[in-house]
Amino acid sequence: MILSLAQAQGVMHVVLLGDSNTFIGGDSCNVARGWNKWFRDAMQPTTCRSYARSGATWSHTSKTVRDTEEYTEVLSDNNVIYNQVCRLLDAVASGEQISPTLIIIMAGTNDAWFMDRRPQVFGKDLSSPLTLAGAVHYDCRLLREAFPEARIMLLTPMQATKTSLKRIRRTGDIIEACGKEMGLEVVRLDHEGCVSRKQELRRKTYTADGVHTNERGAQCIGQLVAQYVNGK
């Protein structure tokens, strides 16, 4: 990978987008239940800011519009990664946020979990953000255009007890295919992460509820992501 001048000099401005497992780490990435706290501790970036929201999906609905003001922690038409991207763009434009050198997006659990609310999620239309593939392509193009020197890494959803492993794998496959097509790095947390659906169904070990990490699980995931950023 060709590093930007800032990255070569050891300057790292990290921005995180995603759903609840990133959101629970706090906007400042300092809450131990979230993987981003442990990632920040391991990497010691110059800055680290999360724009994640609980309940967020990649995929849109027919009612989704640009909305940077709505605040909700549950599934909704406008609680999508696209609007996190828009909030990031606005924050950089206003000077509130330093232009990122590393952008990490961890989402997809809610797309797999709430398929009844996202009926076109597994469709193949790359031109439509109603599909997971279309939304991933659209959002990542926006980020590339706005931050051409930034490194973008996609994290597929972890295994979870609230939806089937088949759905999680399918979601991860789509995100991975999109990432490869766009030349982005992808980490398959459903393959490499410590969270196992089978294990969590027997006894909660790395999650608090089968979906959201406990402190132990967050530490495991955060340190794994740091290893990938460091070139695992």
Side-chain angles (χ1 to χ4, degrees), residues 11 35 41 65 69 80 101 108 137 147 159 184-185 192 201:
V11 176
W35 68 270
D41 287 355
V65 297
E69 300 300 323
V80 292
T101 60
H137 271 264
F147 313 111
Q159 295 185 28
L184 307 178
E185 297 169 82
E192 294 198 58
L201 283 170

Side-chain angles (χ1 to χ4, degrees), residues 131-155:
T131 70
L132 173 61
V136 173
H137 271 264
Y138 184 68
D139 294 348
C140 291
R141 280 199 304 270
L142 286 177
L143 291 169
R144 266 191 163 169
E145 290 169 5
F147 313 111
E149 293 192 358
R151 182 179 176 185
I152 301 174
M153 178 177 284
L154 307 180
L155 310 183

Side-chain angles (χ1 to χ4, degrees), residues 72-93:
T72 182
E73 296 179 19
V74 297
L75 195 78
S76 76
D77 294 321
N78 295 329
N79 189 6
V80 292
I81 298 300
Y82 165 70
N83 277 319
Q84 295 178 29
V85 172
C86 292
R87 288 196 295 117
L88 168 60
L89 297 178
D90 288 353
V92 171

Side-chain angles (χ1 to χ4, degrees), residues 15-191:
V15 161
L16 307 172
L17 311 179
D19 53 30
S20 52
N21 269 307
T22 305
F23 174 75
I24 59 177
D27 291 353
S28 299
C29 307
N30 59 356
V31 181
R33 289 185 302 121
W35 68 270
N36 42 337
K37 185 268 186 196
W38 301 97
F39 171 81
R40 189 200 66 179
D41 287 355
M43 295 299 301
Q44 294 293 303
T46 311
T47 62
C48 191
R49 170 75 183 271
S50 170
Y51 288 81
R53 287 289 178 269
S54 181
T57 60
W58 279 105
S59 54
H60 295 199
T61 76
S62 59
K63 297 180 180 178
T64 300
V65 297
R66 189 185 196 281
D67 186 347
T68 60
E69 300 300 323
E70 177 190 74
Y71 181 90
T72 182
E73 296 179 19
V74 297
L75 195 78
S76 76
D77 294 321
N78 295 329
N79 189 6
V80 292
I81 298 300
Y82 165 70
N83 277 319
Q84 295 178 29
V85 172
C86 292
R87 288 196 295 117
L88 168 60
L89 297 178
D90 288 353
V92 171
S94 69
E96 176 188 342
Q97 167 71 50
I98 297 173
S99 186
T101 60
L102 173 63
I103 302 169
I104 302 177
I105 311 174
M106 179 182 178
T109 299
N110 295 317
D111 299 84
W113 188 355
F114 298 104
M115 283 183 61
D116 57 327
R117 303 277 294 277
R118 301 288 191 271
Q120 297 183 52
V121 64
F122 290 145
K124 297 181 179 180
D125 187 354
L126 295 181
S127 67
S128 171
L130 297 178
T131 70
L132 173 61
V136 173
H137 271 264
Y138 184 68
D139 294 348
C140 291
R141 280 199 304 270
L142 286 177
L143 291 169
R144 266 191 163 169
E145 290 169 5
F147 313 111
E149 293 192 358
R151 182 179 176 185
I152 301 174
M153 178 177 284
L154 307 180
L155 310 183
T156 69
M158 303 178 299
Q159 295 185 28
T161 62
K162 302 297 184 179
T163 189
S164 71
L165 182 57
K166 182 178 179 180
R167 286 188 183 181
I168 290 292
R169 294 275 199 236
R170 191 174 181 186
T171 300
D173 289 345
I174 291 171
I175 294 170
E176 182 177 26
C178 291
K180 286 183 176 179
E181 208 171 305
M182 301 184 77
L184 307 178
E185 297 169 82
V186 179
V187 180
R188 289 296 300 259
L189 293 181
D190 55 321
H191 290 310

Side-chain angles (χ1 to χ4, degrees), residues 190-210:
D190 55 321
H191 290 310
E192 294 198 58
C194 55
V195 178
S196 160
R197 185 177 191 274
K198 185 176 181 180
Q199 176 177 273
E200 297 300 316
L201 283 170
R202 287 199 307 267
R203 180 171 63 87
K204 300 298 183 292
T205 305
Y206 291 103
T207 72
D209 56 5

